[in-house]
C-alpha cells in the first residue's frame, strides 16, 4: 500500500471560543476523490484551508506528493469567496460600478490577468483557451474584472485552477453562480483531469457531482463522518417545516398602486459594441411569482439592475415600474423602498464594517450598512428576524467574521425585513446548505401568500419555491420564452433538472 | 475684475468669513422638491460633473449636459461620459437658454471663460451653481443681478460622491449663497435641495459662504493636505536612504504609511492617531511635533496671509498667464524625486508597524493638522470650516498617495491645490533642513520601541494626553465625526 496523499490526525481548531474542528482524522489515499459537505459553519472551509496551509490548526497534517507525476506537486485551494483588486491593488468597489462605463477601466482585463498568472506558473496559454471555451468563458477575455458577474468570476477562478492542474485540487463550492451547462462541463473537465492523475477534494452541497467522486463525507460536530451515497439522498429529501413567519411579515404589503409592477417595452442595453439586452418585452403583474432563468451572461443581472434602479441605462429605455414611467421624476430611493433585493453582487460588495444586526436593519433604508438609528418599532422587528434566522449569537459580530452561509442568512433577513411589494431574489441561496435552502424557499412561499410579487433567479437543482407560476428564459440577451411552470415542465428540455423539483 | 474679498469693508470680510452653521437634518425634510421639474444643465462632464449628475438624476431630477463644441465634435471623454450614461448632451446655445439651474463644473482655471460664455445665454432669474468659489471670490467674477449664485461643494473626490450615494449615504458637503446675487431669496432653498440630490445631506452639511469656503479650502490644501504630506514623504524617504534602510522598504513605508496612519485620524482624530503609539513613542512624537510646529508656524502664517490678501491668487494667475511655467517645472521636479522613482518593495509591513516605524509621520500629521487649524481660526475662519479643510480631508488625500505616490495626488487634486502644494513644499524643505539633520532611524525606518523598556513618567504622560485631547480641533471633531460615522474604511494594501 502506498503512502496516503493526505494524512490528518487529531486536528483541532477553535474560532471565537468555539470548537470548529475537534480531533478530526482523515486519510486520503492515492487516486481517491472526495466530496465533503456539511451545514454552514460546520468547518468545511476551515478544514480545506488547513489542508492548503492557509490557516493554522493543532494536530498533524501530512501531504505526500508524487515526485514522478506530471502535475506540479502542490495543493491548490479555490476559495468560495475571493476579492479581486484594481490596478492599484485596492478592492474598494461598489456593486453598481460595473454598470458605469467610466468606472470599469480601473481593473485589469481577463486576458492580462490570465497572462500574468500563466507567466508566474510557467503555463501554456493554449490550454487555458481550451478550458475557457469548455466553460463558456472565452467571449469574456477582453472584459475587465469588474464587469464580470459573480458566476463569471467563479469561472475565472476555475480556469486558473484547472490550468494549473495541481496534484491535489480543493474546490470550495465551485458551482455557485454557474449555469447548468457550465456545471456539467466543469464536471467533465474534472473527470478528465482526475483520470490523468489529479486528485480532487470537492466541497459542495449539490447533488450533481463529477463521476470521479468515490468517497463522501460530512462534517458533523467537528469530525469527518463517511457517508454512503444512498444515505445522502435520504438526508436530502427529509421533510422540512418552517415555524410561523413573524406577524409583521404576514401583513399584506403596502397596497400595490398598480396592477402592472413591471412593464418593459423593447429594452436594449449595450456597452459599446457589446449588446447585453436585446429588445426585451416583459410584463410582471402584481402578485405574480416569476422564475428568471438563462445561462451565465444571458443578461439576467442587467435586467434586474434596471428594475432596481442600479443601472444608468434605465433612463434611455422605455419601461414602467409600479405604474410610473421610469425617469419621470421618481428617485431610485422611492423605487428601492418597494423592493426587497438580494443578489450575489449585493453580497459581494456589501459594507464589510457592519455588524449582523446593522446589516439586517439597513434593509429598512436600502443602504449598504446602517447610517441612522431606526427607532423602537423597527428595532424590535430587526431583533425578531435575528432570532427567526437563528443569528442571535452573531448579532453584534461583524459580517466579515461569519461563515458565508450565515452572512447570506443575515442578508436574506435584510431583504425581507420591510415586507416589500416586490421581492427580487437573485440566487438567494448561494452558499447555503440544502436544508437552509429548502427552509428559505418555504419561507418565501409563506411570505408570498400575502400578495407579494416575486422574481426569483435560480439555475440550480431546481431548488426553487413552489409558489412560482411563470418562467421567463433569456438567451444572449433576448427573451427566449415566457411560459407557465406547467408548460415549462412539459417542454422540459430547457428546464433544469425538473425531476428533482417534483420529488417529495 | 478685481478680487471680491478685497473690495469688502473689514466688517463685511469678518462677517462672511464667519458664516458657519452645521445644519440639522431636519432642514432637509423637503428633499429635492424645490428643484423638481426644473431643468438642470451641467457645464462640463469630468470627475464632479458626471458623478454629481448621476446622483441628481437618480434623485428624480432632470439633468442634461452642455459641453463646448470641440468636446462634442471630437467625441471627447466628457462627451462619452454623458452620452454613454443616457444623458442629453448639447451645446451652450441649445441647452443654456431654457435652464433653470446652470451648474459650472469645469476646472477652476476655465471659470472666467466659461461663465462669460454661458451668462449671456441664461434666462432671467435663473441660478448659477459652483462647487468651489475661487472664480467669485478671488477673480471677482460679476454675475448679472437677476441671477442667483449658489455653491454646493462636496468635500470628496467625484468617484466618492457617487460610491457613497449608491451605498445609501453621501459625503460631507458645504453649501453657500453669494450675498451679492440672491435677488429672489431662493438661493438657500435651492442649495439645500441640490445637496439632497447629491446625497450630501446624509453625511453632514455645513452652511458656509463663498469667502469662507475659498479662504479655508486654499489654506488647507496648500499646507497640511498636500504640501506637508509631500514634504514629509520626501524628507522621510531621503532620510531612510541616507541611513541605509532598504529602498524598497522605505518606499513602501512612505507610500502606504500615511494612509494607515491617517485612517486612525479619520476614525478618532489626533487622539486616536497618537494612541496607536506606545507611551514612550507618543511622548516622543508629541515633543517632535511641538518642535515642528514652532519651526513651521511662520510658513503657515505666511500662506494664510497671502491667501487672505489675495497675493497667492495674484501670483498663481500670473503663472497661468505665463503658460504655467512654474507649475510645470515643479511638477517635473516632483516626478524626479527618489521616492517617486523607487517602486514599493515586495515586503510585508504590518498595520501596527506603520505606526511604530514611521513615528515621524505621526508627528508631521499632528503638527500640520493643528497648525493649519489654529492658523485658520486665528484668521477668522470658524472652527467647523477649519476642521473640514484640515483634519477631515487629510485621510482622503493620503489615500491618493497610497494609490500612486505624489504624482497621483497631484493629478487628482485641482490645479490650484497643486500649485499651492508645490509652493509650500519649495519653502518648507529648506526650513526643515536643520531639524532633519537630527532625525535618526528610530523615528523613521525602525521600530521606535526597540531597545527601550517602555517606562514613562506618569505626570509627563498625563500632560501630553491632556494637551492632545484638549485641543480645539479634537473637540469640534468629535461633534462633526458623529454625523459621518459611516464613512467607509479605506482599505490598505
Ligand atoms: N476634484 C475634486 O475633488 C473636487 C471636489 C470639490 C469641488 N471640485 C470643483 O468641481 C469643479 C470641477 O472640477 P473637476 O475636478 O470635476 O474637473 P475635471 O474633472 O477636470 O472636469 C472638467 C470638465 O470641464 C470640461 N472643460 C474643461 N475646460 C473647459 C472649458 N474651457 N470650457 C468648457 N468646458 C471645459 C472638461 O471637458 P472637455 O475638456 O472635454 O470639454 C471636463 O468635462 C471645480 O470647480 C472644482 O474646484 C472638485
Amino acid at each position: 500500500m502506498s503512502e496516503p496523499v493526505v494524512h490528518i490526525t487529531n486536528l483541532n481548531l477553535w474560532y471565537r471560543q468555539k470548537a470548529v474542528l475537534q480531533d478530526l482524522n482523515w486519510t486520503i489515499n492515492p487516486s481517491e476523490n472526495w466530496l465533503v459537505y456539511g451545514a454552514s459553519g460546520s468547518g468545511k472551509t476551515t478544514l480545506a484551508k488547513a489542508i492548503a496551509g492557509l490557516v493554522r490548526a493543532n494536530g498533524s497534517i501530512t501531504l505526500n506528493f508524487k515526485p514522478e507525476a506530471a502535475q506540479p506537486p502542490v495543493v491548490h485551494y479555490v476559495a468560495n469567496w475571493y476579492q479581486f483588486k484594481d490596478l492599484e491593488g485596492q478592492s474598494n468597489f461598489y456593486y453598481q460600478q460595473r454598470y458605469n462605463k467610466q468606472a470599469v477601466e480601473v481593473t485589469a482585463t481577463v486576458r492580462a490577468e490570465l497572462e500574468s498568472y500563466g507567466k508566474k506558473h510557467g503555463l501554456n496559454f493554449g490550454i487555458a483557451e481550451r478550458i475557457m471555451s469548455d466553460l463558456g468563458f472565452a467571449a469574456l477575455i477582453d472584459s475587465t474584472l469588474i464587469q464580470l458577474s459573480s458566476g463569471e468570476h467563479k469561472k475565472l477562478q476555475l480556469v486558473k485552477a484547472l490550468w494549473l492542474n495541481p496534484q491535489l485540487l480543493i474546490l470550495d463550492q465551485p458551482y455557485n453562480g454557474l449555469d447548468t451547462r457550465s456545471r456539467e462541463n466543469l464536471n467533465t473537465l474534472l473527470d478528465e483531469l482526475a483520470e490523468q492523475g489529479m486528485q480532487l477534494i470537492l466541497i459542495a452541497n449539490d447533488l450533481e457531482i463529477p463521476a470521479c467522486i468515490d468517497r463522501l463525507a460530512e462534517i458533523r460536530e467537528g469530525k469527518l463522518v463517511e457517508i454512503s451515497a444512498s444515505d445522502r439522498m435520504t438526508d436530502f429529501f427529509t421533510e422540512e417545516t418552517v415555524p410561523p413567519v413573524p406577524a409583521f411579515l404576514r401583513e399584506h404589503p403596502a397596497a400595490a398602486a398598480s396592477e402592472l409592477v413591471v412593464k418593459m417595452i423593447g429594452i436594449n442595453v449595450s456597452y459599446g459594441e457589446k449588446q447585453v439586452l436585446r429588445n426585451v418585452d416583459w410584463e410582471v403583474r402584481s402578485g405574480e411569482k416569476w422564475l428568471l432563468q438563462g445561462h451565465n451572461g444571458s443578461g439576467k443581472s442587467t435586467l434586474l439592475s434596471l428594475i432596481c434602479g442600479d443601472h444608468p441605462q434605465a433612463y434611455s429605455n422605455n419601461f414602467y415600474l409600479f405604474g410610473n414611467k421610469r425617469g419621470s421624476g421618481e428617485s431610485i430611493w422611492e423605487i428601492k423602498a418597494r423592493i426587497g433585493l438580494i443578489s450575489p453582487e449585493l453580497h459581494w460588495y456589501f459594507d464589510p464594517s457592519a455588524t449582523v444586526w446593522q446589516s439586517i436593519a439597513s434593509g429598512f433604508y436600502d443602504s449598504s450598512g446602517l447610517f441612522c438609528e431606526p427607532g423602537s418599532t423597527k428595532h424590535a422587528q430587526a431583533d425578531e428576524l435575528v432570532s427567526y434566522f437563528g443569528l442571535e449569537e452573531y448579532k453584534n459580530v461583524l459580517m466579515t467574521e461569519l461563515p458565508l452561509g450565515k452572512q447570506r442568512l443575515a442578508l436574506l433577513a435584510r431583504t425581507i425585513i420591510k415586507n416589500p411589494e416586490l421581492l427580487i431574489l437573485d440566487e438567494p441561496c448561494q452558499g447555503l446548505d440544502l436544508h437552509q435552502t429548502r427552509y428559505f424557499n418555504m419561507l418565501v412561499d409563506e411570505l408570498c401568500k400575502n400578495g407579494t410579487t416575486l422574481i426569483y433567479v435560480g439555475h440550480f437543482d431546481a431548488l426553487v419555491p413552489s409558489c412560482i407560476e411563470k418562467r421567463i428564459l433569456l438567451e444572449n440577451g433576448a427573451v427566449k420564452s415566457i411560459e407557465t411552470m406547467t408548460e415549462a415542465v412539459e417542454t422540459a428540455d430547457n428546464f433544469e433538472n425538473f425531476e428533482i423539483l417534483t420529488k417529495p | 475684475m478685481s478680487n471680491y474679498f478685497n473690495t469688502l469693508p473689514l466688517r463685511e470680510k469678518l462677517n462672511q468669513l464667519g458664516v458657519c452653521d452645521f445644519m440639522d437634518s431636519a432642514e432637509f425634510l423637503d428633499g429635492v422638491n424645490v428643484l423638481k421639474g426644473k431643468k438642470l444643465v451641467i457645464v462640463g462632464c469630468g470627475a464632479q460633473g458626471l458623478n454629481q449628475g448621476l446622483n441628481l438624476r437618480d434623485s428624480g431630477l432632470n439633468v442634461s449636459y452642455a459641453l463646448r463644441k470641440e468636446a462634442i465634435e471630437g467625441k471627447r471623454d466628457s462627451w462619452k461620459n454623458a452620452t454613454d450614461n443616457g444623458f442629453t448632451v448639447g451645446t451652450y446655445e441649445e441647452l443654456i437658454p431654457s435652464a433653470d439651474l446652470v451648474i459650472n463644473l469645469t476646472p477652476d482655471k476655465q471659470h472666467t471663460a466659461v461663465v462669460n460664455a454661458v451668462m449671456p445665454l441664461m434666462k432671467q432669474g435663473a441660478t448659477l451653481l459652483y462647487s468651489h468659489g475661487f472664480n467669485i471670490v478671488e477673480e471677482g467674477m460679476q454675475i448679472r443681478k437677476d441671477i442667483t449664485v449658489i455653491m454646493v461643494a462636496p468635500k470628496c473626490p467625484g468617484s466618492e460622491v457617487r460610491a457613497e450615494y449608491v451605498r445609501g449615504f453621501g459625503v460631507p458637503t458645504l453649501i453657500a449663497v453669494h450675498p451679492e446675487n440672491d435677488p429672489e431669496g431662493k438661493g438657500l432653498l435651492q442649495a439645500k435641495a441640490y445637496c439632497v440630490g447629491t446625497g450630501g445631506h446624509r453625511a453632514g452639511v455645513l452652511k458656509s459662504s463663498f469667502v469662507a469656503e475659498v479662504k479655508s479650502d486654499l489654506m488647507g490644501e496648500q499646507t497640511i493636505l498636500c504640501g506637508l504630506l509631500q514634504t514629509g514623504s520626501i524628507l522621510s524617504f531621503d532620510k531612510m536612504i541616507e541611513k541605509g534602510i532598504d529602498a524598497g522598504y522605505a518606499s513602501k513605508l512612505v507610500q502606504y504609511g500615511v494612509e494607515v496612519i491617517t485612517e486612525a485620524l479619520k476614525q478618532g482624530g489626533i487622539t486616536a492617531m497618537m494612541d496607536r503609539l506606545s507611551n514612550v513613542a507618543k511622548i516622543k512624537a508629541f515633543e517632535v511635533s511641538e518642535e515642528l510646529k514652532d519651526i513651521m508656524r511662520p510658513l503657515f502664517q505666511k500662506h494664510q496671509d497671502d491667501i487672505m490678501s489675495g497675493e497667492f491668487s495674484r501670483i498663481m494667475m500670473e503663472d497661468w498667464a505665463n503658460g504655467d511655467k512654474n507649475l510645470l517645472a515643479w511638477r517635473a521636479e516632483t516626478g524626479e524625486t527618489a521616492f517617486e522613482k523607487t517602486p514599493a518593495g515586495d515586503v510585508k509591513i504590518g498595520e501596527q508597524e506603520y505606526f511604530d516605524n514611521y513615528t515621524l509621520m505621526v508627528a508631521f500629521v499632528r503638527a500640520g493638522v493643528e497648525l493649519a487649524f489654529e492658523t485658520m481660526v486665528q484668521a477668522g475662519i470658524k472652527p467647523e470650516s477649519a476642521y473640514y479643510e484640515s483634519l477631515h480631508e487629510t485621510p482622503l488625500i493620503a489615500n491618493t498617495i497610497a494609490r500612486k505616490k505624489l504624482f497621483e495626488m497631484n493629478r487628482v487634486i485641482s490645479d490650484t491645490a497643486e500649485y499651492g502644494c508645490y509652493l509650500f513644499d519649495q519653502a518648507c524643505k529648506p526650513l526643515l533642513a536643520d531639524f532633519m539633520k537630527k532625525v535618526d532611524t528610530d523615528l523613521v525606518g525602525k521600530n521606535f520601541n526597540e531597545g527601550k523598556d517602555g517606562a514613562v513618567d506618569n505626570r509627563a504622560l498625563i500632560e501630553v494626553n491632556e494637551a492632545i485631547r484638549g485641543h480645539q480641533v479634537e473637540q469640534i471633531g468629535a461633534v462633526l465625526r458623529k454625523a459621518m460615522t459611516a464613512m467607509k474604511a479605506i482599505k490598505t494594501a
Side-chain angles (χ1 to χ4, degrees), chain A residues 88 90-92 94 96 100-102 312-313 315-316 326 329-334 351 366-368 371, chain B residues 36 50 54 57-60 81 84-86 162-163 165-169 202 399 403-404 486 491:
Chain A
E88 287 149 8
Q90 302 211 330
S91 37
N92 219 344
Y94 54 98
Q96 295 90 338
N100 188 347
K101 257 203 89 203
Q102 288 63 44
Q313 292 190 35
Y315 296 94
S316 10
R326 187 72 177 87
E330 75 291 350
S331 85
I332 57 168
W333 305 107
E334 286 158 11
D351 181 7
D366 309 297
S367 51
S368 170
F371 307 123
Chain B
K36 265 251 150 112
L50 173 64
L54 286 167
R57 180 174 66 176
D58 275 346
S59 297
N81 283 346
D84 285 348
N85 283 299
R162 181 63 180 160
Y165 178 84
V166 290
R167 283 178 72 214
F169 196 51
R202 300 202 191 94
N399 174 253
R403 281 159 60 196
K404 276 197 200 144
K491 294 199 184 64

